[in-house]
Amino acid sequence: MAFTLPSLPYALNALEPHIDARTMEIHHGKHHNAYVTNLNAAVQGTEWENKSLEEIMANISKLSAAVRNNGGGHWNHSFFWQIMGPNAGGAPTGAVAEAINSTFGSYDKFKEEFSKAGVTRFGSGWAWLTAAGGKLTISSTANQDNPLMDIAEVKGTPILGVDVWEHAYYLNYQNRRPDYLAAFYNVINWDEVNKRLAAAK
Ligand code: MN
């Protein structure tokens, strides 16, 4: 098969108490796995079968809803697991700290705007911090869309993102999306965010 489910880079309970093991188990093992299975089915026998996920994202306007939803779902979740981690969180470090301070004024101000993007995304979607042309932008997308897609309003390299689908938080936080977003800052892997910022165009 062209696409495979990546292993989690840490244990299911590694992000507790902020994100619980049962949520991680279902989110990775069921939801992410389904995006991979459905993406493979959607590209099977087409010219996209052996293309990279990034190439698929850049051409998403030409592709089916199944590829958009499941390809986006596969990319977004693979990214999400990487930019979180145990013994993480707290204030950003390195180049991303400087970029956040110069763009938003302070880390607290950034958190306010990033959380607002997540809270105000109606229904299911993602909030993003994207780098493009040396600038950082906060945005949100519906469903499994992302800033790599050619249809995105804000395009660029995602360096941080948070899943605000109910499946990402409902077991532990029920309807309290703002509480889940507040907890998310405790699990951000800033080393990984810095790597993605360094690689951004
Ligand atoms: Mn999800």
Side-chain angles (χ1 to χ4, degrees), residues 2-29:
F3 299 102
T4 55
L5 180 68
S7 301
L8 274 183
Y10 36 76
L12 290 171
N13 65 358
L15 306 182
E16 290 191 343
H18 312 293
I19 301 181
D20 63 286
R22 182 72 175 138
T23 294
M24 291 298 292
E25 183 182 13
I26 298 169
H27 201 174
H28 175 259

Side-chain angles (χ1 to χ4, degrees), residues 76-98:
N76 293 349
H77 289 83
S78 300
F79 168 84
F80 191 45
W81 313 135
Q82 296 285 334
I83 56 89
M84 296 190 292
N87 310 311
T93 54
V96 76
E98 289 170 34

Side-chain angles (χ1 to χ4, degrees), residues 27-28 31-32 35 73 76-77 80-81 125-126 143-144 162-169 180:
H27 201 174
H28 175 259
H31 291 279
H32 189 175
Y35 297 126
N76 293 349
H77 289 83
F80 191 45
W81 313 135
W126 292 73
N143 303 317
Q144 296 296 354
V162 63
D163 187 344
V164 297
W165 284 58
E166 283 187 346
H167 70 222
Y169 61 87
Y180 157 71

